Amino acid sequence: MRVTNMIPDMQYAMQQSQQAVAAALKQLSTGLRVNKPSDDPAASAQMVTSLANSANVDQYTSNVNSLLSQMQAADSGISSIVTSLSSAATIGVSGANGTTNSADRQAMAAQVSSVLASVVAQANTSHQGVYVFGGTATTSPPFVQASTTYNSTQGTVLIPLTATQPLTAGSVTTVSDATTGKTFTFTVLPGQTISALSTAIAGAAASGILSAGTTATINVNGQLSIGTNSGTAGIAVSTNDPVLGPMNAASGTQVANAYAYVGNSAVNQVQVGDSFSVPVGVPGDLMFTSGPNVIGSLTNLIAALQTGTSAQIGAASNAVSSGLNYVSQQRIPLDNTISQLNSQDTFLSQETLTLTSQQSTLVGVNIANAATNLSQAELENNATMAAAAKVLPQTLLDYLK
Amino acid sequence: MSLSTSLTIAVRSLSAATGALQIANNNIANANTPGYVRQLATLQEAEPFNDGTMSAGNGVVLTGYQSARDELLQTLIQQQTQAQSGTNAQLSSLQQIEPLFTTSTQDIGTQMSALFSSISSLSTNPASSPARQAVLVAGNNLATAFNRASNSLTSLQVGLNSQVTQDVSLINTLTEQIAALNPQIAQLKASGQDSGTLQNQQDQLVLTLSALTGVGVTKADNGITLTTGSGTPLVVGSQSFSLQTKLGSDGMQHVLDQNGTDITTTLSSGDLGGTVQMRDQTIPGLLSQLDTLASQFGTAFNAVQTTGFDQKGAAGQNFFIMQAAIAGSAASIRMAIADPTLIAASSDGSAGSNGNLANLSAIQAKPLPSGNTPGDSYANLVFNVGSLTANATATSGAVAASLLQLKNQLNSVSGVSIDEESTNLITYQQAYEAAARVVSTIQSLYQVTMSMGTAAAA
């Protein structure tokens, strides 16, 4: 073959070897074999999935940590409640002793009353703004001081609410009873009136969900008034029906030592693994009112110590003891969840390692190989340059003098 | 036989050597001229001397010169040049597209997984205002990532569109020049002369044209005939047929032949072919995948959001504003809500419920109507971009190597070797010197002959 000009070949060879140096340098400096999708389309596509998995695992880990602190707050709340209940039961037992005089019992009642206040305070524990015993109603304290009567804000003497007035379909009115520990929820169906609400509340009172005698009537001021009609039974009422407006406790009708649960029974589930969710917290009604009415039993013990007989005090303090057992039992699922979260935390850190190693296999570069590649590419580049420098300037004219 | 015959031979020899030197000189001068084909002096023995009794050699004549042309190799180079320009046009666009789909802090995949992370984080404290705000920010970032990718692809398409107009106007200039050379070359050929210089010019123009579009080349007596890939004539004899561009209903420039027929889809190689391929096939394909993903993801997200309740207990509203048509979804997707309390986290209406967040998280693992999960759909897109670019890179490298090979082969035939021309210079220099010596020898012989008479007289 007749060779006329070696410059194009040399340029091509230098270009190729410089590209090889640049590629090897990029791999070594970034530590990555795949820097853009075209370096390895299949690995790049797998990386998309793998990185999404990593992001999920990181988030699960962060969820586990924030749940752990929330659940530990709940757990320590329950722990102090158990201690408080235990001291109340002890007081009750000594109060039931026939030899205790009335003055002592009044003092004991005051002691139990402060125990009750501390139990309610613990039941209203909040962790970073979340009321942990409120079910999914986490934005306000789940236990509120109960009153005998709640009145609507709508309705006046001049323009009174009437029994035949229609309510807003879909709106919800709840009545939480401190004595029964239960909550009655009324969801308005299309066409239902105030009278339907009154009937439903009377029915709930008859079936024992609400204290006997609880009614909903239009009062002299033209407002809807929901009340227990008893000085000792307290309730808390709320509604989102604009026909009634917010329900407020009538002033002076607060019942001492009575607390109603205004949270709900729902439990949030939080995902801490691809197919693993844990329940967050324990709703207050499950913990304190749906079994033995724990808060109510303290209220009863105070009343019994104030006015009751030894037998009544004994019965009331037994009720506190069984409440104590119940709360202790409810603590077990919570503790189980905490230990599940701890083991999930370990699993997730293992998972992070697995994913990291998968990613480094997909797109990473073996540093030793990359360094070898670079020095080899440099060597080849030098050789090409040296050859070019030697060959290109050569011409016959140099020899023709 | 006479001294004057020898002198004639010597003069012919001087003239042939001068001519050959001129050719070597021209070769050296054009050693680096693109498209130059080296010329060889054609030396021939002169008509023999015949005085009736004997026949003798009568020296040398320079009958002309011959260009060392190889038309087959030239054709192959034109074809490879078409392939190379076509691939490079696609590669340069793809290299601009690639960063959009490379894992970074801003790509769609990362933003999508950030949105799901923010939702999962909110589920641990559904009433938390900062956590709700984080979901809105992540949603907005995802929408922006979709917008950015779509806008970049579209503006690339607009750039390619103006490239089509430029290419067509360059093609028209070139075909005019090529057609103008045809009759000149034909005339030289008819007179039996080497049309070297003009032919070189024309070949170089055809090569430049090949870089722009795929052309079919046929050689005939009246010069070369050029046709487009679809057979539409571009140059016939002295006539050139210009292509036109016309704005189509799709907003793109279409290429029409001289009859007004739309030949856009038949353009396959050269810069124009590669540009049209990118503009009309590759980019619309990627945009369509992107739009489908944006549309299906946004719709799925909205569907879940509207089954839940916001922080105030009201039914959830759409999270993203989606247009009805799929095409253009990636460009138009944006946030429908700006108030963090409007995120429908709750499944039962209570402010602290996170039931609907679990449904939102589940979108990540559920197949969209396309049959793939959102992450897999995006991964497919990344794979497509990667494999298109990798293929174009490989093709470009292979074509460059083969083109280098062909050019070397052509240079082997047609290229100027300075060393070779230097030896030619020496050869003809010596021939000239020898012939000159013959002249001076004959001159001295004449003097001897002249002085013979003088000596006798003396």
Side-chain angles (χ1 to χ4, degrees):
Chain A
M1 174 138 163
R2 180 172 166 269
V3 176
T4 56
N5 191 345
M6 279 185 284
I7 290 177
D9 269 324
M10 279 299 173
Q11 282 174 338
Y12 182 77
M14 283 191 282
Q15 193 54 247
Q16 293 293 72
S17 70
Q18 274 160 7
Q19 277 174 9
V21 172
L25 184 65
K26 177 131 200 183
Q27 289 197 353
L28 190 60
S29 62
T30 58
L32 295 174
R33 181 178 60 84
V34 181
N35 284 292
K36 50 187 192 301
S38 59
D39 289 340
D40 187 341
S44 301
Q46 286 180 45
M47 267 304 275
V48 170
T49 316
S50 187
L51 286 173
N53 287 344
S54 283
N56 282 345
V57 168
D58 288 350
Q59 186 55 48
Y60 294 149
T61 310
S62 141
N63 286 359
V64 163
N65 291 330
S66 72
L67 289 185
L68 268 178
S69 69
Q70 192 174 326
M71 310 261 292
Q72 275 155 356
D75 189 54
S76 73
I78 295 175
S79 166
S80 18
I81 287 170
V82 167
T83 315
S84 303
L85 287 177
S86 157
S87 73
T90 314
I91 296 168
V93 168
S94 53
N97 191 328
T99 59
T100 325
N101 65 27
S102 172
D104 291 340
R105 284 181 178 170
Q106 293 305 325
M108 286 172 176
Q111 266 183 296
V112 176
S113 177
S114 77
V115 167
L116 174 59
S118 115
V119 167
V120 168
Q122 292 297 339
N124 283 341
T125 297
S126 81
H127 177 256
Q128 293 178 346
V130 174
Y131 289 92
V132 294
F133 294 118
T136 61
T138 55
T139 47
S140 55
F143 287 92
V144 297
Q145 174 95 55
S147 298
T148 59
T149 309
Y150 270 73
N151 294 327
S152 67
T153 42
Q154 294 293 335
T156 59
V157 177
L158 288 177
I159 313 167
L161 294 174
T162 61
T164 55
Q165 191 150 356
L167 293 171
T168 312
S171 67
V172 179
T173 302
T174 57
V175 181
S176 308
D177 193 305
T179 315
T180 63
K182 298 197 167 85
T183 297
F184 172 70
T185 305
F186 181 75
T187 306
V188 179
L189 298 174
Q192 282 190 318
T193 59
I194 290 179
S195 145
L197 175 60
S198 302
T199 312
I201 286 176
S207 66
I209 296 174
L210 300 176
S211 298
T214 305
T215 57
T217 53
I218 311 289
N219 67 14
V220 291
N221 292 323
Q223 299 162 323
L224 179 72
S225 172
I226 300 176
T228 59
N229 302 305
S230 144
T232 53
I235 53 171
V237 181
S238 72
T239 183
N240 61 359
D241 192 333
V243 173
L244 302 177
M247 300 287 292
N248 296 321
S251 65
T253 64
Q254 284 198 338
V255 181
N257 300 322
Y259 295 91
Y261 178 65
V262 298
N264 62 27
S265 317
V267 182
N268 276 338
Q269 298 275 333
V270 170
Q271 211 178 356
V272 291
D274 281 334
S275 50
F276 181 36
S277 297
V278 292
V280 185
V282 184
D285 58 345
L286 181 67
M287 186 65 99
F288 302 114
T289 62
S290 72
N293 184 351
V294 176
I295 308 251
S297 73
L298 287 173
T299 313
N300 287 344
L301 178 58
I302 296 165
L305 283 167
Q306 283 167 341
T307 58
T309 62
S310 292
Q312 284 170 332
I313 296 169
S317 81
N318 283 343
V320 170
S321 296
S322 62
L324 167 63
N325 288 336
Y326 179 75
V327 170
S328 302
Q329 281 165 24
Q330 293 310 307
R331 202 177 162 185
I332 295 169
L334 184 67
D335 289 347
N336 275 345
T337 309
I338 291 177
S339 89
Q340 278 178 340
L341 284 175
N342 279 321
S343 63
Q344 182 67 7
D345 196 27
T346 315
F347 170 76
L348 289 172
S349 31
Q350 187 57 46
E351 192 69 7
T352 306
L353 284 180
T354 312
L355 284 168
T356 311
S357 109
Q358 184 196 20
Q359 284 156 13
S360 112
T361 315
L362 275 177
V363 301
V365 71
N366 178 321
I367 294 296
N369 286 352
T372 318
N373 286 347
L374 178 61
S375 59
Q376 196 160 358
E378 276 174 341
L379 200 66
E380 280 166 20
N381 189 35
N382 282 339
T384 311
M385 300 282 214
K390 195 146 182 66
V391 169
L392 291 183
Q394 276 189 2
T395 156
L396 179 62
L397 299 173
D398 290 342
Y399 300 91
L400 297 174
K401 299 291 177 192
Chain B
M1 298 287 275
S2 67
L3 279 180
S4 63
T5 312
S6 294
L7 192 59
T8 314
I9 293 174
V11 169
R12 280 208 199 97
S13 178
L14 283 174
S15 147
T18 315
L21 277 171
Q22 190 190 329
I23 288 166
N25 185 13
N26 189 44
N27 279 343
I28 291 172
N30 284 300
N32 297 319
T33 309
Y36 180 74
V37 173
R38 79 182 161 118
Q39 294 171 342
L40 299 166
T42 318
L43 296 176
Q44 203 179 328
E45 282 180 78
E47 279 291 303
F49 169 84
N50 197 334
D51 63 356
T53 56
M54 62 170 288
S55 173
N58 201 9
V60 66
V61 280
L62 176 68
T63 56
Y65 60 88
Q66 196 66 45
S67 295
R69 196 177 301 283
D70 187 326
E71 290 185 350
L72 174 62
L73 280 173
Q74 283 181 337
T75 308
L76 288 175
I77 287 177
Q78 283 160 10
Q79 287 169 355
Q80 287 295 312
T81 306
Q82 292 165 14
Q84 189 188 38
S85 311
T87 312
N88 286 352
Q90 298 187 43
L91 184 58
S92 85
S93 295
L94 284 166
Q95 281 170 340
Q96 293 175 57
I97 293 173
E98 232 187 336
L100 297 173
F101 298 97
T102 304
T103 300
S104 69
T105 52
Q106 297 194 320
D107 81 305
I108 294 169
T110 309
Q111 293 300 352
M112 204 184 272
S113 94
L115 175 60
F116 285 115
S117 293
S118 72
I119 288 168
S120 181
S121 173
L122 178 59
S123 76
T124 63
N125 188 355
S128 155
S129 194
R132 281 176 174 265
Q133 192 67 48
V135 173
L136 284 191
V137 169
N140 192 42
N141 285 347
L142 176 60
T144 311
F146 270 119
N147 299 158
R148 191 185 312 110
S150 174
N151 292 343
S152 302
L153 286 174
T154 311
S155 63
L156 198 57
Q157 207 177 15
V158 170
L160 292 172
N161 197 32
S162 63
Q163 181 70 36
V164 167
T165 321
Q166 287 173 24
D167 278 354
V168 166
S169 118
L170 281 173
I171 289 169
N172 288 339
T173 314
L174 286 168
T175 50
E176 268 172 41
Q177 293 173 351
I178 292 167
L181 284 167
N182 260 345
Q184 300 180 40
I185 293 169
Q187 204 180 349
L188 280 176
K189 273 191 179 160
S191 66
Q193 294 177 51
D194 187 295
S195 53
T197 308
L198 295 178
Q199 189 68 58
N200 292 350
Q201 279 180 21
Q202 194 179 47
D203 286 344
Q204 190 60 24
L205 288 171
V206 173
L207 188 64
T208 315
L209 181 63
S210 294
L212 289 170
T213 185
V215 285
V217 183
T218 326
K219 299 216 168 174
D221 285 344
N222 63 345
I224 62 168
T225 302
L226 296 182
T227 53
T228 63
S230 62
T232 310
L234 286 171
V235 173
V236 177
S238 62
Q239 204 176 357
S240 69
F241 301 95
S242 59
L243 299 176
Q244 298 143 40
T245 52
K246 189 176 166 220
L247 194 63
S249 55
D250 54 0
M252 295 295 159
Q253 294 288 348
H254 287 243
V255 180
L256 310 180
D257 67 10
Q258 85 278 8
N259 300 322
T261 314
D262 190 336
I263 57 165
T264 316
T265 51
T266 65
L267 299 165
S268 60
S269 53
D271 187 67
L272 183 59
T275 304
V276 166
Q277 166 80 21
M278 265 324 277
R279 186 194 71 175
D280 294 350
Q281 308 288 328
T282 313
I283 293 183
L286 293 174
L287 269 176
S288 145
Q289 280 193 52
L290 198 62
D291 284 338
T292 307
L293 175 58
S295 168
Q296 295 187 348
F297 181 81
T299 308
F301 214 87
N302 282 349
V304 174
Q305 163 89 4
T306 47
T307 58
F309 298 91
D310 66 22
Q311 202 172 3
K312 292 169 185 142
Q317 310 169 18
N318 278 348
F319 191 78
F320 291 115
I321 295 175
M322 303 299 304
Q323 59 174 44
I326 290 177
S329 291
S332 70
I333 186 172
R334 59 199 162 89
M335 292 297 288
I337 54 174
D339 177 357
T341 63
L342 291 179
I343 294 167
S346 170
S347 54
D348 59 10
S350 62
S353 160
N354 71 359
N356 205 42
L357 291 176
N359 298 334
L360 286 173
S361 292
I363 294 172
Q364 193 177 16
K366 256 192 237 154
L368 295 171
S370 66
N372 289 314
T373 63
D376 285 348
S377 300
Y378 180 69
N380 286 346
L381 197 52
V382 169
F383 178 82
N384 283 349
V385 170
S387 89
L388 281 170
T389 316
N391 286 346
T393 310
T395 311
S396 169
V399 174
S402 114
L403 200 52
L404 177 75
Q405 185 68 29
L406 285 171
K407 281 182 175 165
N408 278 345
Q409 284 185 32
L410 184 65
N411 274 338
S412 169
V413 179
S414 307
V416 175
S417 159
I418 300 279
D419 290 349
E420 187 181 315
E421 299 304 334
S422 305
T423 56
N424 283 347
L425 279 179
I426 296 167
T427 308
Y428 296 122
Q429 183 189 358
Q430 286 174 350
Y432 187 94
E433 279 172 10
R437 175 60 54 86
V438 171
V439 172
S440 79
T441 307
I442 290 173
Q443 183 196 16
S444 64
L445 286 180
Y446 269 125
Q447 280 173 356
V448 169
T449 313
M450 303 286 189
S451 59
M452 271 164 56
T454 319

